Amino acid sequence: MNETTPAPVAAVPAPKKTPAPAGGGAPREEPAAETPLKQRLAELVQRQGVLAVLLAVILVASFVYPTFATLDNARGVTVQASFLAVVALGMTLVIITGGIDLSVGSVFALGGVLAAWASQWGFFTALLVPLVVCGAIGLLNGFLIARAGMAPFIVTLATLLAARGLLLALTDEGATTYLVPKDSVFAELGQGSVLGFGYPLLIALVLFGAGGVLLQRTSFGQSLFAVGGSSDAAGLMGLPVARTKILVYTLSGLLAGLAGALNAARLSSGVTIVGVGMELDAISAVVIGGTLLIGGAGSVSGTLWGVLLLAVIQNLINQIGSLNSSYQSVVSGGFLIVVVVAQRYLARSRRTT
Amino acid sequence: MAPPEAAAQAPAESTPPAAGTVLEARAVSKRFPGVVALDNVSFSLRAGETHALVGENGAGKSTLIKVLTGVYRPDEGEVRMTGQQVRFARPFEAQQAGISTIYQEVNLVPLMSVARNIFLGREPKNRFGLIDFGRMHRETTELLDGFGVHVDPRRPLHTLGIGTQQMVALARAVSVNARVVVMDEPTSSLEPREVETLFRVIAGLRGQGIAVIYVSHRMDELYRICDRVTVLRDGRHIHTGDLAELNRMRLVSMMLGRDMAEVRRSGVTGFAAGGHDAERTPVLTASGLTRRHQLQDVSLSLYGGEVLGLGGLLGSGRSETAKALAGALSLDGGELTVGGRRLRRLTSAGAIRAGISLLPEDRKAEGIIPGLSVRENIVLAAMPRLSRAGVVSRRKQDRIVEVFMKRLRIKAAGPEQKVGELSGGNQQKVLLARWLCLEPKVLLLDEPTRGIDVGAKAEVQGLIDELAGEGLAVLLISSDIEELIEGADRIVVLRGGAVAGELSGDDVGESQLLEVLADHAPVPEGKAPAAQEDPR
């Protein structure tokens, strides 16, 4: 370039007089103004890939199985999926911070039993008791992870076991079943519907809307991304890293408890055997939805599509009928692998741009 | 950012705009177990000046910076900001007080967008309390435009070049009202064009009265943009003064701790006087070794029976060259010939097979395995040769270990003692033994005597002498100038990743070496990179 610069004392002032174009390294050369197409494509696939797959599956299924594309089926599938969706919403936030919450399945079941038990004292206790207890478990998770510096995997594995144990103790090892009073307001919360779409679904949608705003449009949401993207950098920028983590695990516990309570209201009883392995379904839905398992990037909308995709696959396998329903896990597992491989590939192609 | 630029161009003429002291360290000391990292160091920074902080490895630069920026707390002494004593408990507190650090690895969140990074933790809000992205992107664009950087604020940070990422970090620092910006080797991974942009931005900071602490090993950069310089050596303050009044020779000799006036050969090293008889044909020839930002067209030859010194300041590419020769550094270009045969693919295993052994600089991280015994550490690399069908012959091991423990005079309770319990010098000998039992033709030694005591040092030096005498080709890297000059028959000097000169025969001397290091000797034509123009 400008290797003939005689002496810097004379050479440097030049760019000052003509700020932008001239001078040693003209800033205009910066190939920055527009994000490259390949880049944006990769991001689009990352963000909306699931949605495309979901729509394709729904489209094909509608043609092949006439019973699939009915309003009744849609109502059934969506309300079934709404409990996992609420749990996966919390999981999304946790995974964006680079953590994991394995306790949600047990907490979900515990929340259901607590809600059914407390529903004898009315609507508000039925909601309050599970929220307080499950929120406290989440808080404990967060505290141990953020303040004691323990690994999220271990801490939440421990609370997974503990919550399941607590649940068994409460129900005399499953011998006692608490029932939600018939025709109570709380039962209505699980079983009522608007235009045939159950309240749990509507609640899940409202929560996803709120979650989306929280994540994208608030400082707290930004700090989740920052903590997951680079915890050190977040700390150096003065973000409350520990507080953010504690809050996000508490949120996850609260959401899992709420989902459990809604499920109990729908089933009219606190069923002890639900939620086993639910944490893994939630993680699958989150990852299929394009959230990076290492943290730092993700969206709640992707998770919503991920949950729906899992639900549709299950529904389809039920529709086929001849296929053993256990194959649902095989198919979901396959999707998970495809998505993770695609994420790695996309991440690599982006790094080289 | 208009008027005071004059000062930026001619640091010699004037003191910086406002001569008030913004940041000051008074008689600061900092100790770590076994090391005094800072010993009674004072440092002061004036508003609006660009202050170079220089010194070799272990001089205490990074410790001083960490004390100033709240990462460490000094054991003694105090840090003052505009006259007030300050005690930062965390780096963030220093940042709030107006001291921002731009690290070598940019400390931002790579996956987040440019704008989000700049406004993280202080996002502009609309009247509903939600983040106002429109305003955020607008303000980001304005801010970066002011730096002459034009970039889409929505773009994820990691998709930008390192230089632009640094500008973003700088923009963030400045927009949180920084009064002091610390830059640690900011240009080490920048393209020349990006360096120009950075320098322009630094000049702009000066215009705003922001002081810059600039750590770099690149002499020409220091002389271009810095007003004053502070030299540290071995944790002690050596000199502070106007850079323009200090010529390069003086600066380099202060960094290295050699006084030009009293260059003497006192024979304090363990090397015997007189050179070795080198062979006529080279054992190893490297030509055109090139790696982006690190090595530029490095060529050298190594003859059997000689010690070739590799000189250069910190960051000049010495260790990278050694690693490249040992196949441990992926290269963009260049080739290696060993014993007349060209190595097709450069890998560590290939280099070892060809008879090249590298004793790495950081023996703790890259060499010894402290939990294993002396015997296990020695035979580690020779395992494949000592085993048949995967079964290792214990008898052969014992024989080899015994021979080398005796020959290298390794002082250990026995072959089964854990290496971690040995002294630094003996650890180094164990490492040497490991490579020698492979019977290499070429031995690359990167700082073989660093961190070991004087007696062991002399012994290791004596060993190097012996090995070369036995016909081995030895490459010696050392920051200890005396060791380099007395140990080497020939010295190739690197600067900025390129060969800056070669000393042989009677030219191997301290003053000659210092001259090449300080860039006063004529540079062999065609070897110097474009960025190395001498601004005398």
Side-chain angles (χ1 to χ4, degrees):
Chain A
M1 280 174 251
N2 62 334
E3 352 186 278
T4 45
T5 317
V9 181
V12 184
K16 291 303 144 196
K17 285 163 201 156
T18 49
R28 290 288 172 209
E29 291 167 34
E30 199 73 43
E34 267 307 302
T35 311
L37 182 70
K38 190 181 164 196
Q39 181 91 38
R40 278 193 295 183
L41 204 68
E43 273 169 29
L44 197 70
V45 173
Q46 169 96 37
R47 211 173 288 163
Q48 302 302 347
V50 234
L51 184 56
V53 173
L54 176 65
L55 292 178
V57 170
I58 289 176
L59 199 69
V60 171
S62 310
F63 281 111
V64 180
Y65 301 101
T67 46
F68 178 78
T70 58
L71 200 56
D72 269 353
N73 195 39
R75 286 173 178 147
V77 169
T78 50
V79 85
Q80 276 303 322
S82 52
F83 308 105
L84 177 61
V86 172
V87 171
L89 176 61
M91 186 70 81
T92 309
L93 304 182
V94 169
I95 289 182
I96 285 175
T97 64
I100 197 105
D101 189 350
L102 298 180
S103 69
V104 287
S106 296
V107 170
F108 173 80
L110 180 65
V113 168
L114 286 171
W117 170 69
S119 65
Q120 53 186 308
W121 294 292
F123 178 76
F124 287 105
T125 25
L127 273 182
L128 198 63
V129 171
L131 285 181
V132 167
V133 174
C134 298
I137 292 174
L139 185 68
L140 178 71
N141 280 338
F143 200 82
L144 289 175
I145 290 162
R147 296 268 182 229
M150 293 169 68
F153 186 92
I154 297 302
V155 171
T156 58
L157 183 62
T159 45
L160 175 153
L161 297 171
R164 189 59 73 177
L166 199 60
L167 166 77
L168 290 176
L170 274 176
T171 58
D172 305 319
E173 311 229 337
T176 313
T177 306
Y178 300 103
L179 294 177
V180 177
K182 268 206 164 58
D183 301 325
S184 64
V185 185
F186 184 60
E188 178 65 16
L189 184 70
Q191 294 156 17
S193 61
V194 177
L195 298 174
F197 289 97
Y199 283 143
L201 172 66
L202 303 179
I203 293 171
L205 289 179
V206 169
L207 287 173
F208 267 81
V213 171
L214 180 80
L215 194 59
Q216 295 298 336
R217 300 296 297 267
T218 65
S219 298
F220 175 70
Q222 298 302 299
S223 61
L224 294 183
F225 285 112
V227 167
S230 170
S231 180
D232 292 342
L236 274 171
M237 289 194 226
L239 298 181
V241 176
R243 203 169 66 208
T244 304
K245 284 187 182 172
I246 291 176
L247 252 168
V248 86
Y249 283 95
T250 309
L251 262 177
S252 177
L254 281 173
L255 287 169
L258 177 66
L262 291 175
N263 192 43
R266 180 162 186 79
L267 301 177
S268 288
S269 72
V271 182
T272 55
I273 53 162
V274 295
V276 177
M278 193 186 203
E279 60 280 348
L280 303 181
D281 287 339
I283 294 169
S284 311
V286 170
V287 173
I288 288 174
T291 296
L292 284 185
L293 200 47
I294 50 164
S299 67
V300 296
S301 59
T303 298
L304 190 59
W305 311 140
V307 170
L308 275 178
L309 184 60
L310 291 183
V312 166
I313 291 168
Q314 184 177 21
N315 184 251
L316 276 178
I317 286 171
N318 290 344
Q319 301 261 338
I320 298 169
S322 61
L323 208 58
N324 188 324
S325 67
S326 307
Y327 283 111
Q328 191 235 324
S329 307
V330 178
V331 177
S332 325
F335 262 105
L336 192 61
I337 289 175
V338 169
V339 168
V340 173
V341 169
Q343 275 186 0
R344 278 197 71 91
Y345 176 76
L346 287 175
R348 201 172 309 147
S349 79
R350 273 199 275 174
R351 217 171 298 135
T352 51
T353 42
Chain B
M1 41 190 269
E5 246 86 80
Q9 273 67 65
E13 296 173 10
S14 60
T15 46
T21 300
V22 251
L23 182 65
E24 199 180 1
R26 285 196 186 170
V28 164
S29 295
K30 179 78 191 171
R31 287 174 209 88
F32 296 107
V35 200
V36 182
L38 284 180
D39 184 6
N40 198 22
V41 169
S42 294
F43 174 81
S44 82
L45 186 68
R46 298 173 191 157
E49 76 167 336
T50 303
H51 196 128
L53 186 60
V54 298
E56 282 290 273
N57 249 341
K61 288 170 308 194
S62 42
T63 312
L64 177 60
I65 285 178
K66 284 177 176 166
V67 165
L68 292 174
T69 55
V71 180
Y72 294 154
R73 312 191 61 173
D75 296 330
E76 282 155 36
E78 56 180 33
V79 176
R80 283 170 172 264
M81 226 182 149
T82 52
Q84 301 288 313
Q85 190 181 348
V86 285
R87 283 201 182 87
F88 303 125
R90 288 180 298 140
F92 178 58
E93 288 180 14
Q95 219 179 81
Q96 280 192 311
I99 305 172
S100 281
T101 314
I102 313 297
Y103 294 90
Q104 260 165 315
E105 307 84 34
V106 183
N107 254 286
L108 297 174
V109 187
L111 285 171
M112 298 181 82
S113 74
V114 172
R116 290 181 189 210
N117 265 297
I118 288 182
F119 283 100
L120 208 50
R122 51 194 185 93
E123 295 90 352
K125 304 274 167 65
N126 63 19
R127 62 203 152 96
F128 303 112
L130 298 177
I131 298 172
D132 185 347
F133 279 108
R135 205 171 117 206
M136 199 159 116
H137 291 147
R138 232 174 14 251
E139 287 180 12
T140 301
T141 308
E142 276 167 27
L143 189 64
L144 288 174
D145 278 354
F147 281 1
V149 178
H150 305 282
V151 71
D152 180 358
R154 290 170 198 80
R155 230 171 118 168
L157 189 78
H158 70 109
T159 62
L160 305 172
I162 298 289
T164 319
Q165 292 191 26
Q166 266 181 3
M167 296 303 158
V168 175
L170 254 174
R172 181 181 164 93
V174 171
S175 68
V176 293
N177 297 321
R179 282 185 289 173
V180 175
V181 174
V182 182
M183 292 190 213
D184 191 358
E185 295 258 13
T187 57
S188 59
S189 46
L190 297 193
E191 308 284 349
R193 184 167 54 83
E194 295 177 317
V195 173
E196 292 304 320
T197 312
L198 179 72
F199 286 178
R200 233 182 4 255
V201 170
I202 292 177
L205 296 183
R206 184 197 312 258
Q208 299 172 33
I210 296 170
V212 176
I213 300 178
Y214 191 89
V215 180
S216 176
H217 301 104
R218 301 188 177 175
M219 292 290 146
D220 41 344
E221 286 179 6
L222 299 183
Y223 278 92
R224 238 188 94 178
I225 62 164
C226 295
D227 306 301
R228 291 201 301 157
V229 61
T230 289
V231 183
L232 298 182
R233 191 175 69 235
D234 300 329
R236 282 191 299 275
H237 177 257
I238 301 298
H239 173 87
T240 294
D242 285 348
L243 196 53
E245 289 165 10
L246 195 66
N247 73 31
R248 286 182 176 219
M249 278 290 268
R250 283 278 302 149
L251 183 57
V252 171
S253 62
M254 279 196 289
M255 284 164 64
L256 297 177
R258 320 298 306 173
D259 196 335
M260 292 308 299
E262 37 180 277
V263 174
R264 259 176 286 139
R265 299 199 77 187
S266 48
V268 289
T269 62
F271 294 109
H276 306 99
D277 298 321
E279 292 162 12
R280 288 287 176 79
T281 50
V283 186
L284 178 144
T285 312
S287 60
L289 303 181
T290 299
R291 180 181 158 94
R292 227 162 87 100
H293 301 314
Q294 291 184 333
L295 295 177
Q296 299 188 48
D297 198 19
V298 173
S299 302
L300 50 84
S301 300
L302 210 55
Y303 297 84
E306 74 160 352
V307 177
L308 173 66
L310 203 52
L313 295 173
L314 194 63
S316 58
R318 291 171 302 178
S319 296
E320 287 80 2
T321 302
K323 278 190 178 159
L325 295 179
L329 190 75
S330 66
L331 292 174
D332 299 327
E335 57 181 60
L336 274 188
T337 312
V338 184
R341 288 225 328 270
R342 198 185 141 216
L343 294 191
R344 202 163 300 148
R345 276 181 46 231
L346 297 179
T347 60
S348 291
I352 290 173
R353 262 198 307 278
I356 303 173
S357 292
L358 167 67
L359 201 64
E361 182 179 15
D362 186 350
R363 64 173 173 269
K364 286 225 170 64
E366 302 178 42
I368 64 153
I369 303 168
L372 292 186
S373 69
V374 171
R375 175 180 58 81
E376 288 164 318
N377 266 287
I378 290 180
V379 298
L380 206 57
M383 272 313 180
R385 296 180 12 162
L386 294 176
S387 58
R388 182 170 297 161
V391 182
V392 184
S393 156
R394 181 60 187 263
R395 213 150 39 97
K396 281 189 199 161
Q397 279 189 32
D398 287 340
R399 209 165 47 230
I400 285 191
V401 170
E402 198 193 314
V403 167
F404 280 103
M405 284 185 70
K406 205 174 284 169
R407 181 164 161 218
L408 302 188
R409 296 175 291 271
I410 296 171
K411 288 183 201 82
E416 297 309 319
Q417 193 179 4
K418 290 205 182 353
V419 165
E421 297 165 5
L422 303 185
S423 70
N426 280 302
Q427 290 184 357
Q428 195 66 288
K429 289 185 195 167
V430 169
L431 266 184
L432 255 176
R434 178 192 295 172
W435 296 116
L436 288 176
C437 67
L438 291 178
E439 293 161 18
K441 287 182 256 174
V442 179
L443 193 58
L444 313 171
L445 305 172
D446 195 353
E447 301 283 2
T449 62
R450 173 181 296 163
I452 63 182
D453 62 79
V454 184
K457 197 168 173 171
E459 262 190 61
V460 170
Q461 289 166 341
L463 264 172
I464 296 170
D465 234 11
E466 259 177 65
L467 293 169
E470 290 166 17
L472 210 62
V474 180
L475 180 86
L476 174 67
I477 295 177
S478 177
S479 299
D480 180 343
I481 276 216
E482 211 149 42
E483 180 172 289
L484 201 59
I485 286 166
E486 298 197 2
D489 304 303
R490 222 157 36 97
I491 298 179
V492 168
V493 183
L494 297 179
R495 198 185 325 117
V499 176
E502 182 178 326
L503 308 173
S504 57
D506 291 339
D507 279 346
V508 180
E510 207 157 313
S511 56
Q512 293 92 330
L513 181 57
L514 283 179
E515 272 181 20
V516 184
L517 286 179
D519 196 14
H520 272 232
V523 174
E525 61 278 26
K527 290 284 175 61
Q532 286 283 340
E533 296 159 59
D534 189 342
R536 265 167 299 167

